[in-house]
Structures are given as C-alpha cells and as structure tokens.
Amino acid sequence: MNDIKALCKVYLINMLSNKFVFVFNLLLPTLYFLYQNGKYWTRPAVTFSQSTNLIISYFWAYIIMVTILNNVIVAMIAQRENGFYKQLFFIVGSKWKILIANFLVQLAVLNGELIIFNVVVMTIFHNWHISLVLAGMLSATIVAVPVALISSLLFLLKVKIESINILVSILLFGLFALINLPESGSISHTLSLLNPITYTVETSFQTLSLFFNHTFDHSMILIWVLVTIIYGFFGWFGTSKLSVHSIIDRA
C-alpha cells in the first residue's frame, strides 16, 4: 500500500507537468458543447430529459475514453519506451502496483474533468442539479476499469511512440463512426457494446436516466455484465503482455 501511495505522488507530479493533454481531454469537448448549445444562454432552464441525457452521455464518453487512452494507456507506452516504467518496476517489483497507482491518479483527474464539464453544462442550461455531478462521477467510476482493460490491448502492438498517437486518433475516429450502426436484437446489442464508446455512452445514459427520470433498462443488465467480463478477459491478456522493455530494445 505504501508503494502505491508513493507511486501515486510520482504520477500526480508527472501529470501536473504535462497540462497539454487537458486540451484534448477537456477543453475541446467543452468548447464544442458551448458551440452546439450556446443558444441556451438566453433561453429558459433546460430540463434533463432523455434526449438531453443522451447528448450529455456522448460528451462524457469522449472525455472518459480520451482521458483513459491518453493518460493511462498511451502514457504507459511512452514510459515503457523512455525507460521510466522499467525504473519504477525495478524499484517496486510489480507492474500491477504501477498500473494501479497510475490508474487511481487518472481516475481522480477524470472525475475532476467531468465535474468541470458538468458545471459548464448546468451553467448553459440554467439548471443546477447535484445529481448531474454525482451521475458523472458514478459513470466514470463504473466504466473506467473496463475501458482501461480493453484499451490495454494496445500494449500488444509493436508500435513506436512516434506512431502511437496517430494510431489512437484513427482508433477513436473509427470507434465514434461505429456508434451509429443500426441494432436489431440482443446479439447485435451485445456486439455494439464491444465498442467501448458505445459501452460508455450506454452506461452513462442509464445512469443519468436513473438519477433524473427514475428509469432503468433492466433488460440490458445481463448483456452489460457479459460485455464487462469480456473486457476483463482481454484486459488481463493485454496487461499480462506489458513488458518493461521498449520496442527499440526488442528490435
């Protein structure tokens, strides 16, 4: 436990030294939300209806996915390539302690980003409701681990750090392009949830519906659990293959 606390301090300091990632994680989606919904500045209070909740869910999904990819997965790959991960591994002797410490710090950062974004949403909509903040934190906490696990499959790629950011950008574009594919039946719904963007949108939407509309789609619970287990399996596999040696060392 002491090792994890010490590593959390290291990752917190490291994260604060790289503030540029917040441009992609938080600033861009917030500015786009303001652009799309600036008209509500001069209108009456907007209620958190099902349609409004769905819109918010998409923005949450972007913030959650990009934060985990940039701050957890890509950051860990970069640390592997520059030798920082190897140094920490030799000190603490466990990759899991390193991964857990980094994840905990980034989860705190993610919740902070969502709180800021939700404050902007409530300001634009003239509707201040603590349930929005609580729903955002709960959604992030629920999906962060499964999304991080499925994203850890990127550890398997023998791609140099110079190319990983381009690859992640292409991956995000593809995942967002796939979220609007038509669904028919439980099988197609299950397959659609294998897209982590869809998985995050669906979880966020159900959480918002529970908080604001007191409704919940009970039919999706079994499918959601099944997909989460699949994420866990692939995550365990991807993480187990994370080596302390960089691509250059193995070339």
Side-chain angles (χ1 to χ4, degrees):
M1 184 60 71
N2 289 332
D3 287 342
I4 293 178
K5 289 181 180 179
L7 287 169
C8 284
K9 292 180 182 179
V10 171
Y11 276 111
L12 181 60
I13 295 172
N14 184 63
M15 183 272 302
L16 292 175
S17 66
N18 185 20
K19 302 181 182 64
F20 186 73
V21 294
F22 290 104
V23 173
F24 295 98
N25 298 358
L26 178 62
L27 184 59
L28 287 181
T30 302
L31 290 178
Y32 186 68
F33 178 84
L34 290 172
Y35 170 76
Q36 291 280 54
N37 300 278
K39 59 187 177 182
Y40 292 111
W41 272 110
T42 56
R43 297 187 181 183
V46 178
T47 59
F48 292 106
S49 62
Q50 294 290 73
S51 59
T52 305
N53 292 343
L54 184 59
I55 293 172
I56 295 173
S57 297
Y58 281 110
F59 281 94
W60 284 2
Y62 175 90
I63 295 172
I64 293 171
M65 192 69 195
V66 173
T67 298
I68 290 176
L69 281 176
N70 285 338
N71 294 15
V72 179
I73 305 302
V74 174
M76 189 59 62
I77 294 174
Q79 290 162 20
R80 180 190 65 191
E81 296 305 305
N82 62 28
F84 183 67
Y85 169 61
K86 181 188 290 187
Q87 293 175 9
L88 292 180
F89 181 81
F90 286 155
I91 293 173
V92 300
S94 171
K95 75 168 66 175
W96 292 106
K97 290 181 180 180
I98 299 172
L99 292 171
I100 290 171
N102 186 24
F103 176 80
L104 290 175
V105 170
Q106 303 311 329
L107 180 60
V109 171
L110 173 58
N111 277 290
E113 291 172 345
L114 287 176
I115 289 173
I116 294 173
F117 176 78
N118 289 332
V119 168
V120 173
V121 171
M122 291 186 291
T123 302
I124 293 295
F125 286 169
H126 307 290
N127 189 349
W128 292 85
H129 211 303
I130 189 63
S131 292
L132 184 66
V133 175
L134 296 177
M137 296 176 66
L138 180 59
S139 297
T141 303
I142 291 174
V143 303
V145 172
V147 169
L149 288 172
I150 193 67
S151 300
S152 68
L153 288 176
L154 292 174
F155 293 151
L156 302 175
L157 301 179
K158 295 182 178 180
V159 179
K160 294 183 179 180
I161 190 59
E162 293 82 3
S163 305
I164 192 66
N165 288 320
I166 298 175
L167 179 64
V168 167
S169 297
I170 295 173
L171 175 63
L172 281 172
F173 179 82
L175 291 176
F176 272 101
L178 291 172
I179 60 178
N180 292 320
L181 291 179
E183 300 177 15
S184 58
S186 58
I187 295 179
S188 63
H189 190 195
T190 303
L191 292 176
S192 70
L193 287 180
L194 292 176
N195 179 345
I197 299 293
T198 306
Y199 177 89
T200 306
V201 169
E202 184 68 31
T203 305
S204 300
F205 177 73
Q206 294 298 333
T207 304
L208 282 167
S209 298
L210 183 63
F211 271 79
F212 287 104
N213 308 110
H214 307 293
T215 60
F216 189 82
D217 186 1
H218 295 85
S219 63
M220 69 159 287
I221 293 179
L222 184 59
I223 296 175
W224 186 91
V225 171
L226 174 62
V227 172
T228 302
I229 293 173
I230 294 173
Y231 279 21
F233 173 79
F234 282 110
W236 172 84
F237 179 75
T239 305
S240 67
K241 299 299 181 180
L242 177 61
S243 170
V244 298
H245 302 291
S246 68
I247 296 296
I248 295 176
D249 293 338
R250 288 177 280 172

